[in-house]
Amino acid sequence: MKLVFEIEPYEDMVDEPFTTKSYLLDRINIFVLENNKRKEFCTSTFNGAILLDMAEGLIELYEQKETKFTVEMYESTLEYTFSYFQKLLTVTSYEGYNGETLEMMKCRFEDFVAAFLKEYKSYHQYILKQDPHAFENKHYCMMRDQINILNNHLKKLI
């Protein structure tokens, strides 16, 4: 499994200089790649908030503080619930407009975390390459901390 984060900058910001703060507000499309098939997982504005929430939820699952967490998408009525049970992660989406719940995926928890972490690291590195002052942004630093914690959990260091 592989996750892909695609960031869509707002049209009026395309010619503006890159800043970490504005980048974290752009729209994100997250795709899952399995068996050479690309499937849309979720989409939202405020990509920084979505990724921080997902990472925090995954950390809480690792630390057994929770057995599930929910991430609300911005500018839509979708909510994604991540549930952990017996080493499996089940992701369901809830459409608030019509009350429909769909199972988006079921996979090994550690496979999902590894895929998420790999893409989260790339995303984090990209920001620093574009903005050498990224460490002045508190959300960027929170991401760095989350990456370290998730990496340590995967390597069973904590």
Side-chain angles (χ1 to χ4, degrees), residues 52-136:
L52 284 165
D53 288 351
M54 281 186 188
E56 185 62 30
L58 294 171
I59 290 168
E60 288 180 357
L61 293 180
Y62 257 116
E63 296 175 354
Q64 299 176 349
K65 293 179 182 175
E66 300 289 336
T67 57
K68 69 179 180 177
F69 67 93
T70 300
V71 177
E72 294 182 35
M73 299 298 114
Y74 293 91
E75 293 187 8
S76 78
T77 58
L78 284 172
E79 294 179 352
Y80 288 82
T81 301
F82 297 73
S83 304
Y84 175 78
F85 183 70
Q86 295 183 346
K87 297 187 180 192
L88 288 178
L89 183 70
T90 303
V91 182
T92 56
S93 70
Y94 171 75
E95 171 59 71
Y97 181 73
N98 62 16
E100 185 177 30
T101 300
L102 298 172
E103 185 175 290
M104 297 294 294
M105 72 175 354
K106 187 176 278 194
C107 61
R108 288 188 60 238
F109 175 66
E110 289 192 353
D111 291 346
F112 183 86
V113 173
F116 178 83
L117 184 58
K118 183 176 182 182
E119 191 67 5
Y120 202 29
K121 282 180 185 178
S122 295
Y123 168 90
H124 193 256
Q125 291 168 349
Y126 174 81
I127 293 173
L128 186 58
K129 286 179 185 174
Q130 301 301 315
D131 181 1
H133 303 286
F135 281 105
E136 295 171 11

Side-chain angles (χ1 to χ4, degrees), residues 5-56:
F5 301 167
E6 288 185 359
I7 307 299
E8 290 181 41
Y10 293 109
E11 288 180 23
D12 60 338
M13 300 296 289
V14 171
D15 295 328
E16 297 293 319
F18 184 97
T19 66
T20 300
K21 183 178 179 179
S22 63
Y23 186 74
L24 295 176
L25 299 176
D26 288 338
R27 175 176 295 283
I28 187 169
N29 300 301
I30 300 177
F31 298 93
V32 177
L33 298 175
E34 282 187 308
N35 303 323
N36 293 326
K37 291 184 181 178
R38 180 177 162 128
K39 178 181 167 188
E40 185 176 309
F41 182 70
C42 68
T43 186
S44 180
T45 56
F46 300 108
N47 72 77
I50 297 302
L51 295 175
L52 284 165
D53 288 351
M54 281 186 188
E56 185 62 30

